[in-house]
Each structure stands twice: as C-alpha cells, then as structure tokens.
C-alpha cells in the first residue's frame, strides 16, 4: 500500500470515528450524557406524532391513561423531566432489552417492562402490546435513547440503590419529613400535590408494595440522590434511610403477586410488605432481617 493510500484510509477512518463520537457523545471511552431534544424532531416525519404522544403519556400518565392507572402517579413522578433528567434517567433504556428479569423469572421486552410499571408503580392495568399508546411510549423512549448502542454500558443507569443502609430510625424519619419540608410538596398525609409536582408517597394514590420503590434499598437510594428537590443540602445516608423507613411504614396498595415474584430464587430481603409495615409501626420489626442494613452502634 502506498503512503498516499494509507493516509486517505487513515483520514477516512478517523473522520468516521469522530462523527460517531459526535453522535453518541462518547469521549475518552465513557458514554457522555447527551439525549436528543424534542425540538429537533422533524415535523414531516410520521414518527414525530408518535414520539410527541409518547412524551405526553410519560409526563401525564395518570390523566392520559386514567382508565389504566390505578393511582395518581405518572412515569415522570419518578423519572423527572420526561425521563431525561440525569438522575433516574430513561435515556438508553430501550437498548437494554430484551433482558432477563429475576423478579419475574422471564426475559422481558421493553413493552413488558413498561407494563411491569403499570401494574406495580401505577397500581393499574397493563396496556395492550399493540395499542397506539404502547407504540407511542416505546417510540418516545427509543427516541431519547438515540446514540446509545444496544447492550452498551450506561454509566447513569441503576444508580438509585443504597448498598449499605444505616439502621433506620422511623421516629427520626417522621421528624425529618417535616424538617426537610417534604410535606410542602407531598402533603402532611403523604397524598401529594400532583403527579410531577409532588407525587403521593403513601395511601391509595401511591405505588403498591410490589413496586421497586417498596424496597428499602431502592427508596433510600432514590431519596439520597434526588431529594430535597432543587436544594443544595443533600440528605445523608442515615437521613435518607430514616425517611425511607418512615414512608414505607405507611399503608399503601397491596401487590397480590408477592408469592410468585422471584420464582427461581434470589428474593431480596428488603421488600417492605403489609406484614412488615405493621411490625415497623409497632416497633417490633427486626432491621437485621434486611441483609444490607448496618446495625446502629
């Protein structure tokens, strides 16, 4: 190969790699966070109307799908800003499916995962897999995942789990709920002020106890990473665990499928169901029953 031909091929490969990095936002080997804007949608593209409808469903699930949502939550109740806020982001989610789900014991498609949220977090009913609403929601999630390769490691995913939880103090959690002004958005009785302004944290209009957020590690991690909203004074691990335990001690809709979850074993020890809620309120629950709780000194 001549030197001239080598330089041409080298330049072409370099340009191709640069264009690919620019598209994905990948720099230095780690995927950069660069979701596409809804303003970039082409009005003449027939997919645009589906993507826009999917965004509306994501942000206003409880009203757009009121006949299927059993509480007053939306997808954006947990995944802020239409799922593109860096914390609890949905960017790239469609590239991770199909995936095996140990909780259900089967391989899940993205549609399965959406319906999992519908019957657990939304305490409602599944959407029809070929419905316009399901097509729209998957179109939206696919759009905000542009630039992420299938199966690619996504550094911002699965960050809301507290691996080591300080032994909670429920009484202190109740005090912190007021001191940290949680009630200003979520109300004194936990009923909330709106699906995206302050979701219901307990009661009939909140998630059921089969949702991921009913696990102490998930709730503690979420609070630690996301609350208080838009404030600089972040919670300590202990504060997040205390508030999480207080919230999960409150009554909420019951999931009827606990016995069939994790059919192949591996059930996590931190699921807070009705029996545990009652014991927590009575002060008789043994926090050592949760494997990753660090005993108080």
């Amino acid at each position: 190969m001549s030197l001239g031909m080598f330089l041409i091929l080298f330049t072409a490969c370099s340009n191709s790699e640069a264009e690919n990095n620019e598209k994905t936002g990948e720099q230095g080997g780690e995927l950069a966070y660069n979701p596409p804007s809804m303003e970039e949608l082409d009005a003449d593209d027939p997919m645009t109307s589906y993507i826009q409808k999917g965004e509306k469903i994501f942000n206003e699930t409880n009203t757009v799908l009121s006949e299927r949502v059993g509480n007053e939550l939306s997808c954006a109740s947990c995944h802020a800003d239409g799922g593109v806020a860096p914390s609890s982001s949905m960017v790239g989610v469609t590239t991770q499916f199909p995936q095996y789900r140990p909780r259900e014991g089967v391989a899940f498609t993205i549609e399965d995962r959406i319906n999992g949220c519908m019957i657990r977090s939304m305490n409602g009913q599944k959407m029809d897999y070929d419905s316009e609403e399901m097509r729209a929601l998957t179109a939206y999630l696919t759009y905000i995942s542009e630039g992420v390769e299938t199966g690619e490691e996504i550094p911002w995913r699965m960050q809301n789990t507290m691996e080591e939880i300080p032994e909670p103090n429920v009484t202190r959690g109740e005090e912190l709920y007021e001191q940290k002004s949680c009630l200003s958005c979520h109300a004194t009785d936990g009923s909330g002020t709106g699906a995206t302004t302050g979701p219901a944290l307990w009661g009939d209009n909140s998630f059921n106890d089969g949702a991921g957020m009913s696990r102490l590690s998930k709730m503690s991690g979420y609070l630690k990473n996301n609350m208080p909203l838009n404030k600089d004074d972040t919670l300590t691990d202990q504060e997040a665990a205390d508030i999480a335990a207080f919230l999960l001690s409150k009554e909420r809709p019951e999931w009827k499928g606990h016995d069939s979850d994790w059919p192949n074993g591996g059930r996590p020890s931190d699921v807070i169901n009705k029996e545990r809620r009652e014991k927590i309120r009575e002060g008789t629950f043994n926090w050592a029953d949760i494997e990753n709780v660090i005993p108080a000194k």
Side-chain angles (χ1 to χ4, degrees), residues 95-140:
T95 70
Q96 306 301 298
F97 290 86
Q99 66 172 227
Y100 177 75
R101 295 276 300 174
R103 184 174 67 181
E104 290 79 12
V106 296
F108 256 34
T109 64
I110 186 62
E111 291 85 358
D112 291 326
R113 186 67 186 92
I114 290 169
N115 271 338
C117 285
M118 290 298 294
I119 60 177
R120 294 174 187 262
S121 297
M122 306 294 184
N123 193 41
Q125 303 172 27
K126 293 181 179 181
M127 286 190 281
D128 294 334
Y129 282 77
D130 62 351
S131 66
E132 183 176 349
E133 290 79 10
M134 179 66 85
R135 294 173 189 273
L137 195 48
T138 57
Y140 172 66

Side-chain angles (χ1 to χ4, degrees), residues 120 208-211 214 254-262 267 271-274 277:
R120 294 174 187 262
N208 68 39
D209 61 13
S214 69
E254 292 182 60
W255 169 245
K256 303 302 184 182
H258 281 296
D259 290 343
S260 58
D261 283 346
W262 286 281
R267 184 185 299 272
V271 176
I272 307 299
N273 57 15
K274 181 178 177 62
R277 287 196 296 275

Side-chain angles (χ1 to χ4, degrees), residues 4 46 157 200 205 223 231 235 241 262 276-278:
R157 285 194 79 238
N205 286 322
L223 294 176
K231 291 187 177 180
L235 300 174
W262 286 281
R276 285 183 161 187
R277 287 196 296 275
E278 292 174 349

Side-chain angles (χ1 to χ4, degrees), residues 100 108 169 197 227 282 288:
Y100 177 75
F108 256 34
N169 183 318
T197 58
M227 297 293 141
E282 294 168 356

Side-chain angles (χ1 to χ4, degrees), residues 171-241:
T171 300
R172 180 59 177 155
E174 183 174 12
E175 294 170 353
L176 287 166
Y177 184 78
E178 180 175 353
Q179 292 174 9
K180 296 293 184 178
S181 300
C182 307
L183 48 77
S184 64
C185 291
H186 302 285
T188 304
D189 62 357
S191 59
T193 58
T196 55
T197 58
L201 298 179
W202 67 83
D204 292 341
N205 286 322
S206 190
F207 56 88
N208 68 39
D209 61 13
M213 202 68 84
S214 69
R215 292 179 55 189
L216 182 63
S217 61
K218 301 295 185 182
M219 175 65 87
S220 299
Y222 185 89
L223 294 176
K224 168 74 175 179
N225 290 343
N226 294 276
M227 297 293 141
L229 190 64
N230 299 324
K231 291 187 177 180
D232 295 331
D233 55 329
T234 57
L235 300 174
T236 65
D237 285 3
Q238 184 68 64
E239 289 172 333

